[in-house]
Amino acid sequence: MHIWDYNIKKGWKPKADVEWIWFLERKINYDDWKGLNPYVIAKYRRRIKIDPGKRLMIDAYFKKYRIKYGR
């Protein structure tokens, strides 16, 4: 499913922290998990605003696979 309300070029990658936060919030909140790296999510985990249920799911995933959280 592709539910983006912005037209971004295919293959676009965020460069700045603000872009990463925006990108991760959009992907996670709209259930577009394709291409997301768990280590990038861990890096920005405390700074992104996502649904509380999805935050619990991500925390459980990180705990299971022993992925360390970002700052």
Side-chain angles (χ1 to χ4, degrees):
M1 179 166 32
H2 188 72
I3 308 177
W4 281 77
D5 56 350
Y6 297 97
N7 290 325
I8 333 180
K9 294 179 184 174
K10 193 171 187 167
W12 177 83
K13 290 269 185 178
K15 294 179 180 89
D17 285 347
V18 175
E19 292 175 352
W20 272 111
I21 292 166
W22 173 82
F23 180 72
L24 292 172
E25 286 175 354
R26 299 294 301 157
K27 297 270 285 183
I28 293 169
N29 282 324
Y30 288 98
D31 290 326
D32 186 6
W33 298 92
K34 189 175 182 180
L36 289 180
N37 183 335
Y39 295 100
V40 174
I41 296 172
K43 179 178 177 181
Y44 295 103
R45 185 185 77 72
R46 298 182 196 268
R47 296 171 60 189
I48 57 177
K49 295 175 185 166
I50 56 175
D51 179 80
K54 291 179 181 162
R55 185 169 301 280
L56 289 172
M57 180 184 68
I58 289 171
D59 290 344
Y61 175 84
F62 288 166
K63 185 176 179 181
K64 179 178 180 176
Y65 291 102
R66 297 185 177 119
I67 297 173
K68 302 220 185 231
Y69 300 121
R71 301 177 240 169

Coordinates of all heavy atoms in Angstrom, one line a residue:
M1 N 0.8 -1.2 0.0 CA 0.0 0.0 0.0 C 0.9 1.2 0.0 O 1.9 1.3 0.7 CB -0.9 0.0 1.2 CG -1.8 1.2 1.3 SD -3.2 1.2 2.4 CE -2.7 0.3 3.8
H2 N 0.5 2.2 -0.8 CA 1.3 3.4 -0.9 C 0.4 4.7 -0.6 O -0.3 5.1 -1.4 CB 1.9 3.5 -2.3 CG 2.8 4.6 -2.5 ND1 4.1 4.6 -2.0 CD2 2.8 5.8 -3.2 CE1 4.8 5.7 -2.3 NE2 4.0 6.4 -3.0
I3 N 0.5 5.1 0.7 CA -0.4 6.2 1.1 C 0.5 7.4 1.5 O 0.6 7.7 2.6 CB -1.3 5.9 2.3 CG1 -2.0 4.6 2.0 CG2 -2.3 7.0 2.6 CD1 -2.9 4.1 3.1
W4 N 1.0 8.1 0.5 CA 1.8 9.3 0.8 C 1.0 10.5 0.2 O 0.5 10.4 -0.9 CB 3.1 9.2 0.1 CG 4.1 8.4 0.9 CD1 4.1 7.0 1.0 CD2 5.1 8.8 1.8 NE1 5.0 6.6 1.8 CE2 5.7 7.6 2.4 CE3 5.6 10.0 2.2 CZ2 6.7 7.7 3.3 CZ3 6.6 10.1 3.1 CH2 7.2 8.9 3.6
D5 N 1.0 11.6 1.0 CA 0.3 12.7 0.5 C 1.3 13.8 -0.1 O 1.0 14.9 -0.4 CB -0.5 13.4 1.5 CG 0.3 13.7 2.8 OD1 1.4 13.3 2.9 OD2 -0.3 14.4 3.7
Y6 N 2.5 13.3 -0.3 CA 3.5 14.2 -1.0 C 4.1 13.4 -2.1 O 4.3 12.1 -2.0 CB 4.7 14.5 0.0 CG 4.2 15.3 1.2 CD1 3.9 14.7 2.4 CD2 4.1 16.7 1.1 CE1 3.4 15.5 3.5 CE2 3.6 17.5 2.1 CZ 3.3 16.8 3.3 OH 2.9 17.6 4.4
N7 N 4.5 14.0 -3.2 CA 5.1 13.4 -4.3 C 6.7 13.5 -4.1 O 7.2 14.5 -4.2 CB 4.8 14.0 -5.6 CG 3.3 13.7 -6.0 OD1 2.8 12.7 -5.6 ND2 2.7 14.7 -6.6
I8 N 7.3 12.3 -3.7 CA 8.7 12.3 -3.6 C 9.3 11.4 -4.7 O 8.6 10.5 -5.1 CB 9.1 11.7 -2.2 CG1 8.1 11.8 -1.2 CG2 10.4 12.3 -1.7 CD1 8.5 11.2 0.1
K9 N 10.4 11.8 -5.1 CA 11.1 11.0 -6.2 C 11.4 9.6 -5.7 O 11.8 9.5 -4.5 CB 12.4 11.7 -6.6 CG 12.1 13.0 -7.3 CD 13.4 13.6 -7.7 CE 13.2 15.0 -8.3 NZ 14.4 15.7 -8.6
K10 N 11.3 8.7 -6.5 CA 11.6 7.3 -6.2 C 13.1 7.2 -5.8 O 14.0 7.8 -6.5 CB 11.3 6.4 -7.3 CG 11.3 4.9 -6.9 CD 10.8 4.1 -8.1 CE 10.7 2.6 -7.6 NZ 9.9 1.8 -8.5
G11 N 13.4 6.6 -4.7 CA 14.8 6.4 -4.3 C 15.3 7.6 -3.4 O 16.5 7.7 -3.1
W12 N 14.4 8.6 -3.1 CA 14.8 9.7 -2.3 C 15.2 9.2 -0.9 O 14.6 8.3 -0.3 CB 13.6 10.7 -2.2 CG 13.9 11.8 -1.3 CD1 14.6 13.0 -1.6 CD2 13.5 12.0 0.1 NE1 14.6 13.8 -0.5 CE2 14.0 13.3 0.5 CE3 12.9 11.2 1.0 CZ2 13.8 13.7 1.8 CZ3 12.7 11.7 2.3 CH2 13.1 12.9 2.7
K13 N 16.3 9.8 -0.4 CA 16.7 9.4 1.0 C 16.9 10.7 1.8 O 17.4 11.7 1.3 CB 18.1 8.7 0.9 CG 18.1 7.3 0.4 CD 17.9 6.4 1.4 CE 18.0 5.0 0.8 NZ 17.8 3.9 1.7
P14 N 16.4 10.7 3.0 CA 16.6 11.9 3.9 C 18.1 12.1 4.2 O 18.9 11.2 4.2 CB 15.9 11.5 5.2 CG 15.1 10.3 4.9 CD 15.7 9.7 3.7
K15 N 18.5 13.3 4.4 CA 19.9 13.7 4.7 C 20.0 14.3 6.1 O 20.9 13.9 6.8 CB 20.4 14.6 3.6 CG 20.5 14.0 2.2 CD 21.0 14.9 1.2 CE 21.1 14.3 -0.1 NZ 19.9 14.4 -0.9
A16 N 19.2 15.2 6.4 CA 19.2 15.9 7.7 C 18.4 15.2 8.7 O 17.5 14.4 8.4 CB 18.8 17.4 7.5
D17 N 18.7 15.5 10.0 CA 17.9 14.8 11.1 C 16.4 15.1 11.0 O 15.6 14.3 11.2 CB 18.4 15.3 12.4 CG 19.7 14.6 12.8 OD1 20.1 13.6 12.2 OD2 20.3 15.1 13.8
V18 N 16.1 16.4 10.6 CA 14.7 16.8 10.5 C 14.0 16.0 9.4 O 12.8 15.5 9.5 CB 14.6 18.3 10.2 CG1 13.1 18.7 9.9 CG2 15.2 19.1 11.3
E19 N 14.7 15.8 8.3 CA 14.1 15.0 7.2 C 13.9 13.5 7.6 O 12.9 12.9 7.3 CB 15.0 15.0 6.0 CG 15.1 16.4 5.3 CD 16.1 16.4 4.2 OE1 16.9 15.5 4.0 OE2 16.1 17.4 3.5
W20 N 14.9 12.9 8.4 CA 14.7 11.6 8.9 C 13.5 11.4 9.8 O 12.8 10.5 9.7 CB 16.0 11.1 9.6 CG 17.0 10.5 8.7 CD1 18.2 11.0 8.3 CD2 16.9 9.3 8.0 NE1 18.8 10.2 7.4 CE2 18.1 9.1 7.2 CE3 15.9 8.3 7.9 CZ2 18.3 8.0 6.4 CZ3 16.1 7.2 7.1 CH2 17.3 7.1 6.3
I21 N 13.4 12.4 10.7 CA 12.2 12.3 11.6 C 10.9 12.4 10.9 O 10.0 11.6 11.1 CB 12.3 13.4 12.7 CG1 13.5 13.2 13.6 CG2 11.1 13.6 13.5 CD1 14.0 14.3 14.4
W22 N 10.8 13.3 9.9 CA 9.6 13.4 9.1 C 9.3 12.1 8.3 O 8.2 11.6 8.3 CB 9.7 14.6 8.1 CG 8.6 14.7 7.2 CD1 7.4 15.2 7.4 CD2 8.6 14.2 5.8 NE1 6.6 15.1 6.2 CE2 7.3 14.4 5.3 CE3 9.5 13.5 5.1 CZ2 7.0 14.1 4.0 CZ3 9.2 13.1 3.8 CH2 7.9 13.4 3.2
F23 N 10.4 11.6 7.7 CA 10.3 10.4 6.9 C 9.8 9.2 7.7 O 8.9 8.5 7.3 CB 11.7 10.1 6.3 CG 11.7 8.9 5.4 CD1 11.1 8.9 4.1 CD2 12.4 7.8 5.8 CE1 11.2 7.8 3.3 CE2 12.5 6.7 5.0 CZ 11.9 6.7 3.7
L24 N 10.4 9.0 8.9 CA 10.1 7.9 9.7 C 8.7 8.0 10.3 O 7.9 7.0 10.3 CB 11.1 7.7 10.9 CG 12.5 7.3 10.5 CD1 13.4 7.4 11.7 CD2 12.5 5.9 9.9
E25 N 8.3 9.2 10.7 CA 6.9 9.4 11.2 C 5.9 9.1 10.1 O 4.9 8.4 10.4 CB 6.7 10.9 11.6 CG 7.4 11.2 12.9 CD 7.3 12.7 13.3 OE1 6.8 13.5 12.5 OE2 7.7 13.0 14.4
R26 N 6.1 9.5 8.9 CA 5.2 9.3 7.8 C 5.1 7.8 7.5 O 4.0 7.2 7.4 CB 5.6 10.0 6.5 CG 5.7 11.5 6.7 CD 4.3 12.1 6.9 NE 3.4 11.8 5.8 CZ 2.1 11.8 5.9 NH1 1.5 12.2 7.0 NH2 1.4 11.5 4.9
K27 N 6.3 7.1 7.4 CA 6.3 5.7 7.0 C 5.6 4.9 8.1 O 4.8 4.0 7.8 CB 7.7 5.2 6.8 CG 8.4 5.9 5.6 CD 8.3 5.2 4.3 CE 9.1 3.9 4.2 NZ 9.0 3.3 2.9
I28 N 6.0 5.1 9.4 CA 5.5 4.2 10.4 C 4.0 4.5 10.7 O 3.2 3.6 10.8 CB 6.3 4.5 11.7 CG1 7.7 3.9 11.5 CG2 5.7 3.8 12.9 CD1 8.7 4.3 12.6
N29 N 3.6 5.7 10.8 CA 2.2 6.1 11.1 C 1.2 5.6 10.0 O 0.1 5.4 10.2 CB 2.0 7.5 11.3 CG 2.4 7.9 12.7 OD1 2.3 7.2 13.7 ND2 3.0 9.1 12.9
Y30 N 1.7 5.4 8.7 CA 0.9 5.0 7.6 C 1.2 3.5 7.2 O 0.8 3.1 6.2 CB 1.0 5.9 6.4 CG 0.3 7.2 6.7 CD1 1.0 8.3 7.1 CD2 -1.1 7.3 6.6 CE1 0.4 9.5 7.4 CE2 -1.7 8.5 6.8 CZ -1.0 9.6 7.2 OH -1.6 10.8 7.5
D31 N 1.8 2.8 8.2 CA 2.1 1.3 8.0 C 2.9 1.0 6.7 O 2.6 0.0 6.0 CB 0.8 0.5 8.0 CG 0.2 0.5 9.4 OD1 1.0 0.5 10.4 OD2 -1.0 0.5 9.5
D32 N 3.8 1.9 6.3 CA 4.6 1.6 5.2 C 6.0 1.2 5.7 O 6.9 2.1 5.8 CB 4.7 2.9 4.3 CG 5.4 2.7 3.0 OD1 5.8 1.5 2.7 OD2 5.6 3.7 2.3
W33 N 6.2 0.0 6.0 CA 7.4 -0.5 6.7 C 8.5 -0.9 5.7 O 9.6 -1.1 6.1 CB 7.1 -1.7 7.6 CG 6.1 -1.3 8.7 CD1 4.8 -1.4 8.6 CD2 6.4 -0.8 10.0 NE1 4.2 -1.0 9.8 CE2 5.2 -0.6 10.6 CE3 7.6 -0.5 10.6 CZ2 5.2 -0.1 11.9 CZ3 7.6 0.0 11.9 CH2 6.4 0.2 12.5
K34 N 8.1 -0.9 4.4 CA 9.0 -1.4 3.4 C 10.3 -0.5 3.3 O 10.2 0.7 3.2 CB 8.3 -1.4 2.0 CG 9.1 -2.0 0.9 CD 8.3 -2.1 -0.3 CE 9.0 -2.8 -1.4 NZ 8.3 -2.8 -2.7
G35 N 11.4 -1.1 3.4 CA 12.7 -0.4 3.3 C 13.2 0.3 4.5 O 14.2 1.0 4.5
L36 N 12.5 0.2 5.7 CA 12.9 0.8 6.9 C 14.0 0.0 7.6 O 13.9 -1.2 7.7 CB 11.8 1.0 7.8 CG 10.8 2.1 7.5 CD1 9.7 2.2 8.5 CD2 11.4 3.4 7.2
N37 N 15.0 0.7 8.0 CA 16.2 0.0 8.7 C 15.9 0.1 10.2 O 15.8 1.3 10.7 CB 17.5 0.7 8.3 CG 18.7 0.1 8.9 OD1 18.6 -0.5 9.9 ND2 19.8 0.3 8.2
P38 N 15.9 -1.0 10.9 CA 15.6 -0.9 12.4 C 16.7 0.0 13.1 O 16.4 0.6 14.2 CB 15.7 -2.3 12.9 CG 16.2 -3.1 11.7 CD 16.1 -2.3 10.5
Y39 N 17.9 0.0 12.6 CA 18.9 0.8 13.3 C 18.7 2.3 13.1 O 19.0 3.1 14.0 CB 20.3 0.4 12.9 CG 20.6 -1.0 13.3 CD1 20.5 -2.1 12.4 CD2 21.0 -1.3 14.6 CE1 20.7 -3.4 12.7 CE2 21.2 -2.6 15.0 CZ 21.1 -3.7 14.1 OH 21.3 -4.9 14.5
V40 N 18.1 2.7 12.0 CA 17.8 4.1 11.8 C 16.6 4.5 12.7 O 16.5 5.5 13.3 CB 17.4 4.4 10.3 CG1 16.9 5.8 10.2 CG2 18.7 4.2 9.5
I41 N 15.6 3.6 12.8 CA 14.5 3.8 13.7 C 14.9 3.9 15.1 O 14.5 4.8 15.9 CB 13.4 2.7 13.6 CG1 12.8 2.6 12.2 CG2 12.3 2.8 14.6 CD1 11.9 1.5 11.9
A42 N 15.9 3.1 15.5 CA 16.4 3.1 16.9 C 17.1 4.4 17.2 O 17.0 5.0 18.3 CB 17.3 1.9 17.1
K43 N 17.8 4.9 16.2 CA 18.5 6.2 16.4 C 17.6 7.4 16.7 O 17.9 8.2 17.5 CB 19.4 6.5 15.1 CG 20.1 7.8 15.2 CD 21.0 8.0 13.9 CE 21.7 9.3 14.0 NZ 22.4 9.6 12.8
Y44 N 16.4 7.4 16.0 CA 15.5 8.5 16.1 C 14.3 8.2 16.9 O 13.3 8.9 17.0 CB 15.1 9.0 14.7 CG 16.2 9.5 13.9 CD1 16.8 8.8 12.9 CD2 16.6 10.8 14.2 CE1 17.8 9.3 12.2 CE2 17.7 11.4 13.4 CZ 18.3 10.6 12.4 OH 19.3 11.2 11.7
R45 N 14.2 7.0 17.6 CA 13.1 6.5 18.2 C 12.5 7.5 19.3 O 11.3 7.6 19.3 CB 13.4 5.2 19.0 CG 12.2 4.5 19.6 CD 12.6 3.3 20.4 NE 13.1 3.6 21.7 CZ 12.5 4.1 22.7 NH1 11.2 4.4 22.6 NH2 13.1 4.3 23.9
R46 N 13.3 8.1 20.0 CA 12.8 9.0 21.1 C 12.3 10.4 20.5 O 11.6 11.1 21.2 CB 13.8 9.2 22.1 CG 14.2 8.0 22.8 CD 15.3 8.2 23.9 NE 15.9 7.0 24.3 CZ 15.5 6.3 25.4 NH1 14.4 6.7 26.0 NH2 16.1 5.2 25.7
R47 N 12.7 10.7 19.3 CA 12.3 12.0 18.7 C 11.1 11.9 17.7 O 10.6 13.0 17.4 CB 13.6 12.5 18.0 CG 14.7 12.8 19.0 CD 16.0 13.1 18.3 NE 15.9 14.3 17.5 CZ 16.9 14.7 16.7 NH1 18.0 14.1 16.6 NH2 16.7 15.8 16.0
I48 N 10.7 10.7 17.3 CA 9.6 10.6 16.4 C 8.3 10.5 17.1 O 8.2 10.0 18.2 CB 9.8 9.5 15.4 CG1 9.9 8.1 16.1 CG2 10.9 9.7 14.4 CD1 10.0 6.9 15.2
K49 N 7.3 11.1 16.5 CA 5.9 11.1 17.1 C 5.1 10.1 16.4 O 4.7 10.3 15.2 CB 5.3 12.5 17.0 CG 6.0 13.5 17.8 CD 5.4 14.9 17.6 CE 6.3 15.9 18.4 NZ 6.0 17.3 18.0
I50 N 4.9 8.9 17.0 CA 4.1 7.9 16.4 C 3.0 7.4 17.3 O 3.0 7.7 18.5 CB 5.0 6.7 15.9 CG1 5.8 6.1 17.1 CG2 6.0 7.1 14.8 CD1 6.6 4.9 16.8
D51 N 2.1 6.6 16.7 CA 1.0 6.0 17.5 C 1.6 5.2 18.6 O 2.5 4.5 18.5 CB 0.3 5.1 16.5 CG -0.9 4.4 17.1 OD1 -1.9 5.1 17.3 OD2 -0.7 3.2 17.5
P52 N 1.0 5.3 19.8 CA 1.5 4.6 21.0 C 1.5 3.1 20.8 O 2.4 2.4 21.3 CB 0.5 5.0 22.1 CG -0.2 6.2 21.7 CD -0.2 6.2 20.2
G53 N 0.6 2.5 20.1 CA 0.6 1.1 19.9 C 1.7 0.7 19.0 O 2.4 -0.4 19.2
K54 N 2.1 1.5 18.0 CA 3.2 1.2 17.2 C 4.5 1.3 17.9 O 5.5 0.6 17.7 CB 3.2 2.1 15.9 CG 2.0 1.7 15.0 CD 1.9 2.5 13.8 CE 0.7 2.0 13.0 NZ 0.3 2.9 12.1
R55 N 4.5 2.3 18.9 CA 5.7 2.5 19.7 C 6.0 1.2 20.5 O 7.1 0.7 20.7 CB 5.6 3.7 20.6 CG 6.9 4.0 21.4 CD 6.9 5.3 22.0 NE 6.7 6.4 21.2 CZ 7.7 7.0 20.4 NH1 8.9 6.5 20.5 NH2 7.4 8.0 19.7
L56 N 4.9 0.7 21.1 CA 5.0 -0.6 21.9 C 5.5 -1.7 21.0 O 6.3 -2.5 21.5 CB 3.7 -0.9 22.5 CG 3.2 0.0 23.7 CD1 1.8 -0.4 24.1 CD2 4.2 -0.1 24.9
M57 N 5.0 -1.8 19.8 CA 5.4 -2.9 18.9 C 6.9 -2.7 18.6 O 7.6 -3.7 18.6 CB 4.6 -2.8 17.6 CG 4.9 -3.9 16.6 SD 4.0 -3.7 15.1 CE 4.7 -2.2 14.4
I58 N 7.3 -1.5 18.3 CA 8.7 -1.3 17.9 C 9.6 -1.6 19.2 O 10.7 -2.3 19.0 CB 9.0 0.2 17.5 CG1 8.3 0.4 16.1 CG2 10.4 0.5 17.5 CD1 8.3 1.8 15.6
D59 N 9.2 -1.2 20.3 CA 10.0 -1.5 21.6 C 10.1 -3.0 21.8 O 11.2 -3.5 22.1 CB 9.3 -0.9 22.8 CG 9.5 0.6 22.8 OD1 10.3 1.2 22.0 OD2 8.7 1.3 23.5
A60 N 9.0 -3.8 21.5 CA 9.0 -5.2 21.7 C 10.0 -5.8 20.7 O 10.7 -6.8 21.0 CB 7.6 -5.8 21.5
Y61 N 10.0 -5.3 19.4 CA 10.9 -5.8 18.4 C 12.3 -5.6 18.8 O 13.1 -6.5 18.7 CB 10.5 -5.1 17.1 CG 11.5 -5.5 15.9 CD1 11.3 -6.6 15.2 CD2 12.6 -4.7 15.6 CE1 12.1 -6.9 14.1 CE2 13.4 -5.0 14.6 CZ 13.2 -6.1 13.8 OH 14.0 -6.4 12.8
F62 N 12.6 -4.4 19.3 CA 14.0 -4.1 19.6 C 14.4 -5.0 20.8 O 15.6 -5.4 20.9 CB 14.1 -2.6 20.0 CG 14.0 -1.7 18.8 CD1 13.9 -0.3 19.0 CD2 14.2 -2.1 17.5 CE1 13.8 0.6 18.0 CE2 14.1 -1.3 16.5 CZ 13.9 0.1 16.7
K63 N 13.5 -5.2 21.7 CA 13.9 -6.0 22.9 C 14.2 -7.5 22.4 O 15.1 -8.1 22.9 CB 12.7 -6.0 23.9 CG 13.0 -6.7 25.2 CD 11.9 -6.6 26.2 CE 12.2 -7.3 27.4 NZ 11.1 -7.2 28.4
K64 N 13.3 -8.0 21.6 CA 13.5 -9.4 21.1 C 14.8 -9.6 20.3 O 15.5 -10.5 20.5 CB 12.3 -9.8 20.2 CG 12.4 -11.2 19.7 CD 11.3 -11.6 18.8 CE 11.5 -13.0 18.3 NZ 10.3 -13.5 17.6
Y65 N 15.1 -8.6 19.5 CA 16.3 -8.7 18.7 C 17.5 -8.0 19.3 O 18.6 -7.9 18.6 CB 16.1 -8.3 17.2 CG 15.1 -9.2 16.5 CD1 13.8 -8.9 16.4 CD2 15.6 -10.4 16.1 CE1 12.9 -9.8 15.8 CE2 14.7 -11.3 15.5 CZ 13.4 -11.0 15.3 OH 12.5 -11.9 14.7
R66 N 17.4 -7.5 20.5 CA 18.4 -6.8 21.2 C 19.1 -5.7 20.5 O 20.3 -5.6 20.4 CB 19.5 -7.9 21.7 CG 18.9 -8.9 22.6 CD 20.0 -9.8 23.1 NE 19.5 -10.7 24.1 CZ 19.5 -12.0 23.9 NH1 20.0 -12.6 22.8 NH2 18.9 -12.8 24.8
I67 N 18.3 -4.9 19.9 CA 18.7 -3.7 19.2 C 18.8 -2.6 20.2 O 17.8 -2.3 20.8 CB 17.8 -3.4 18.0 CG1 17.9 -4.5 17.0 CG2 18.3 -2.1 17.3 CD1 16.9 -4.4 15.8
K68 N 19.9 -1.9 20.3 CA 20.1 -0.8 21.2 C 19.4 0.5 20.7 O 19.5 0.8 19.5 CB 21.6 -0.5 21.5 CG 22.3 -1.8 22.0 CD 23.3 -1.4 23.0 CE 24.0 -2.7 23.4 NZ 24.1 -3.0 24.7
Y69 N 18.8 1.2 21.6 CA 18.1 2.4 21.3 C 19.1 3.5 21.1 O 20.2 3.5 21.6 CB 17.1 2.8 22.4 CG 16.1 1.8 22.7 CD1 16.0 1.3 24.0 CD2 15.2 1.4 21.7 CE1 15.0 0.3 24.3 CE2 14.2 0.5 22.0 CZ 14.1 0.0 23.3 OH 13.1 -0.9 23.6
G70 N 18.6 4.5 20.3 CA 19.4 5.7 20.1 C 19.4 6.5 21.4 O 18.9 6.1 22.4
R71 N 20.0 7.7 21.4 CA 20.2 8.5 22.5 C 19.1 8.5 23.5 O 18.0 8.8 23.5 CB 20.5 10.0 22.1 CG 21.7 10.1 21.2 CD 21.8 11.5 20.8 NE 21.7 11.4 19.3 CZ 21.6 12.4 18.5 NH1 21.6 13.6 19.0 NH2 21.6 12.3 17.2

